[in-house]
Amino acid sequence: MSLTPARKFKSSRQRDLILQILRSTKSHPSAAWIFEEARKHLPSISLGTVYRNLAMLKEEGRIRELSVGKGIGLFDGDLRNHDHIRCLVCGRVEDVPPSAQSFSYSQVEGAVGYRVHWHSLEYFGVCPGCETAAANE
Amino acid sequence: MSLTPARKFKSSRQRDLILQILRSTKSHPSAAWIFEEARKHLPSISLGTVYRNLAMLKEEGRIRELSVGKGIGLFDGDLRNHDHIRCLVCGRVEDVPPSAQSFSYSQVEGAVGYRVHWHSLEYFGVCPGCETAAANE
DNA sequence: CCATAAATTAATAACGATTATTATTTTTGA
DNA sequence: TCAAAAATAATAATCGTTATTAATTTATGG
Ligand SMILES: [Mn+2]
Ligand SMILES: [Mn+2]
Ligand SMILES: [Zn+2]
Ligand SMILES: [Zn+2]
């Protein structure tokens, strides 16, 4: 999965807190949101520390960063295999059960010559709330 | 596909050129790269104009913007249905023939309640060049 | 054609998310 | 307990992108 040999990190109160926050939500928060949550418990924490620790946790494979869209970075504490859908109107991101069919990496490898490590499947649509709002407009 | 009613744009030399540049490459260039190409033909063009026209062309559905990764915006003049793969080492993006399997939007809609409009499938791996370089290191 | 209104442009400033810098504090392990 | 290494808070810097505005270009219809 990772392309570089493992690094060993010193533990820190800040990183433990960030991981706990990410694990305790079903949403896919941004660094700014995590920062606001974190300072409720560690008022002196800084935004730079949040970014740095998110990168470390990602490197350790303890969290994931979504590759949905081109906007701000969104993080996911749920390591189970699943896909995502984003609402084109309000931007909300939700989990989607992983697609049943298996992806043929070897077929892709044969077609393009790359060694395939993983894939990302994202859906784009309109959430129930925005669908209703559009109907009532 | 689009969620807002069509707008009508006045034509412009700049937008025609940008579209031509995008159609004449098999790569997936950034706004900055397109800007450099464009100023070879229209030396007075500005980067802001490139960004604005890329947004317009996207809105018209005459080009696509990749949703690969969270980095800078990459554009694609090829409207045919296809997927993409990105090299985890050098960042190169290439086309992948569309996956044979059909995605069941109705199944996703049933699971999450969203109305699904489209999806994006991206692979991540290592390109032949980087694979060779790693072997020789 | 020409006049007029509307859209587009070039130049540049502003913005926002992220990363880098640095002096200080915390962690680790001998 | 102590010194080296790593992490932190504060803050500056970076970078891709968007907004602003006066000047230019385009559409159109008389
Ligand atoms: Mn998720
Ligand atoms: Mn493509
Ligand atoms: Zn919505
Ligand atoms: Zn490569």
Side-chain angles (χ1 to χ4, degrees), chain B residues 15 26 33 82 130:
Chain B
R15 185 155 59 257
K26 293 214 64 177
W33 187 91
H82 64 282
C130 289

Side-chain angles (χ1 to χ4, degrees), chain B:
Chain B
M1 194 103 169
S2 88
L3 297 169
T4 44
R7 273 202 297 161
K8 177 63 183 160
F9 296 118
K10 261 180 198 178
S11 73
S12 84
R13 181 177 296 279
Q14 288 83 346
R15 185 155 59 257
D16 291 347
L17 175 59
I18 288 166
L19 181 57
Q20 178 191 317
I21 288 169
L22 217 30
R23 281 180 173 164
S24 66
T25 179
K26 293 214 64 177
S27 74
H28 303 86
S30 65
W33 187 91
I34 294 166
F35 172 55
E36 290 306 328
E37 285 300 303
R39 65 193 318 185
K40 292 177 184 170
H41 302 88
L42 232 59
S44 68
I45 196 172
S46 76
L47 182 56
T49 295
V50 173
Y51 274 105
R52 180 165 21 79
N53 281 289
L54 286 170
M56 290 161 128
L57 290 167
K58 213 171 84 172
E59 184 177 334
E60 291 179 299
R62 306 212 282 165
I63 66 171
R64 290 167 51 188
E65 181 170 8
L66 302 199
S67 46
V68 177
K70 48 160 182 35
I72 76 177
L74 299 181
F75 298 87
D76 196 338
D78 185 352
L79 297 177
R80 292 172 301 179
N81 176 41
H82 64 282
D83 302 319
H84 292 101
I85 184 164
R86 179 189 287 261
C87 177
L88 294 163
V89 178
C90 70
R92 175 188 304 277
V93 175
E94 287 186 44
D95 292 334
V96 175
S99 58
Q101 86 234 325
S102 57
F103 289 89
S104 170
Y105 283 3
S106 57
Q107 192 172 327
V108 174
E109 289 175 346
V112 299
Y114 281 52
R115 170 72 50 93
V116 179
H117 285 232
W118 67 80
H119 75 272
S120 163
L121 174 58
E122 293 137 17
Y123 298 89
F124 297 87
V126 180
C127 78
C130 289
E131 194 75 49
T132 304
N136 297 354
E137 140 277 346

Side-chain angles (χ1 to χ4, degrees), chain A residues 86-94 125-131, chain B residues 114:
Chain A
R86 179 189 287 261
C87 177
L88 294 163
V89 178
C90 70
R92 175 188 302 278
V93 174
E94 287 186 44
V126 180
C127 76
C130 290
E131 194 75 50
Chain B
Y114 281 52

